[in-house]
Amino acid sequence: MGLFSWLFGKRGIPNQQKLQPSVMAKTRPKTNARSVDFLSSANVKWRVGSFPTEVVGESNYQKTLSELCGAHTRKGHDQEFAARIELEPNNPYDTNAVVVKIRNSVVGYLPRAAAKRVGSQMKDERITNASCRARVRGGWRTNQYDEGKFGVRLSIPQRGWIDFGTGRKPPSAPSDKTKKQTSTSQRPEPSETGPLVGEWVTIIGAPKDGELAKELASKGAKIMAGVGKSTTLLVVAQERPFTPGLVGSSQYRKAEQSIREGSRLRILAASETRNAAD
């Protein structure tokens, strides 16, 4: 018998064809007096139509998102909005918190790792808030028992330097040798013994060199940079049910695709992984 034996159903936001700019424009709500709150001296510059950074905690703001997009429909919604990210140093749970707002209403937060990275650069550039584009998807309902929540993603690069439009130049790029050394050193070395020996693990929702990664590596897991052909376990640093933003992330979708193609890869929450490894 293998180390893991589990079964769960998964339900996510249905795939929707990416809207063309002309179609997207029709779905955007009309501007009103509240739109002026998006004006900011800092404005994230990123590729048009690209939304790599997920937002977490949207489940707490479904009413707000529904008011922005409209009521649930059979096909759901896929809309773009002007958004704003703000430092929230007085947050009682995380002093590095970065809150996400649309039309002055909170719709979620950046994940801890992203908040630390984005917030650190904002502090360096003395920026308290910045505008960016947001994509809101979800809000579908086929019947009273089957519906998809709204999820939010932002037009902010998922890693590296961010252009806030302040005129500041990006830092010098490290050499290929330095990049390789840094990438290798970020991931903890796996123990030669332990219940997770033989598991090639990708973590989402937590840093690759964080406490969760070190804990799994100490039990024998090989920590990977992302989901690949050799990945055997995707560990989600959240409890179920996973947020729409996480389920819609590229790594999660790639893992699901791999499973559909017959891979032995499994998706577990961090707590489920600990329980199975004990």
Side-chain angles (χ1 to χ4, degrees):
M1 183 180 294
L3 176 62
F4 298 94
S5 178
W6 63 283
L7 177 65
F8 70 94
K10 50 184 178 290
R11 179 181 302 160
I13 299 172
N15 293 329
Q16 300 181 19
Q17 183 177 3
K18 187 176 181 180
L19 300 181
Q20 298 299 320
S22 59
V23 178
M24 185 68 74
K26 295 178 182 179
T27 64
R28 293 174 186 155
K30 296 181 180 180
T31 58
N32 53 42
R34 292 186 295 176
S35 298
V36 297
D37 70 280
F38 300 132
L39 299 178
S40 172
S41 59
N43 181 23
V44 176
K45 295 184 178 181
W46 184 242
R47 293 193 294 268
V48 175
S50 175
F51 303 88
T53 295
E54 67 173 331
V55 173
V56 298
E58 310 103 306
S59 59
N60 298 314
Y61 307 102
Q62 291 297 301
K63 181 179 179 181
T64 297
L65 290 167
S66 179
E67 291 173 349
L68 289 168
C69 294
H72 282 63
T73 67
R74 188 170 186 81
K75 293 184 178 180
H77 300 269
D78 189 337
Q79 300 185 28
E80 283 188 27
F81 295 91
R84 188 174 69 242
I85 56 174
E86 295 180 357
L87 298 178
E88 198 173 74
N90 295 324
N91 186 294
Y93 303 104
D94 183 8
T95 57
N96 294 316
V98 177
V99 65
V100 180
K101 295 182 178 181
I102 296 179
R103 294 186 182 172
N104 255 352
S105 296
V106 177
V107 295
Y109 285 80
L110 293 187
R112 282 182 179 269
K116 186 175 182 180
R117 177 180 65 87
V118 175
S120 177
Q121 186 178 333
M122 290 176 68
K123 293 172 186 176
D124 288 344
E125 298 192 33
R126 297 185 178 181
I127 298 169
T128 58
N129 66 86
S131 59
C132 64
R133 298 299 301 172
R135 185 180 191 183
V136 181
R137 300 179 66 188
W140 53 268
R141 179 182 290 133
T142 57
N143 56 57
Q144 60 179 326
Y145 303 108
D146 189 19
E147 67 176 36
K149 293 183 178 181
F150 290 97
V152 184
R153 299 186 70 87
L154 302 178
S155 59
I156 298 176
Q158 199 171 24
R159 58 182 61 84
W161 183 78
I162 303 167
D163 185 356
F164 282 106
T166 61
R168 190 170 182 176
K169 300 296 182 181
S172 299
S175 65
D176 290 340
K177 182 178 180 180
T178 302
K179 288 181 179 179
K180 185 176 181 179
Q181 291 174 341
T182 301
S183 176
T184 302
S185 63
Q186 283 181 345
R187 284 175 275 156
E189 289 296 321
S191 170
E192 296 182 357
T193 60
L196 295 181
V197 169
E199 296 288 349
W200 291 62
V201 177
T202 297
I203 299 172
I204 56 175
K208 304 299 183 295
D209 60 346
E211 293 304 315
L212 177 58
K214 294 176 182 176
E215 176 187 350
L216 299 180
S218 71
K219 296 180 179 181
K222 171 70 174 179
I223 306 301
M224 303 182 67
V227 174
K229 292 183 179 180
S230 58
T231 305
T232 61
L233 181 62
L234 177 66
V235 176
V236 181
Q238 286 185 6
E239 294 301 320
R240 296 182 188 275
F242 302 144
T243 64
L246 188 145
V247 173
S249 67
S250 59
Q251 293 294 313
Y252 195 97
R253 293 200 306 269
K254 190 173 182 179
E256 287 190 314
Q257 179 63 32
S258 180
I259 292 172
R260 286 194 292 269
E261 293 174 352
S263 168
R264 69 185 186 93
L265 186 153
R266 291 147 295 178
I267 302 174
L268 292 177
S271 60
E272 294 170 337
T273 306
R274 293 188 182 99
N275 291 337
D278 288 341

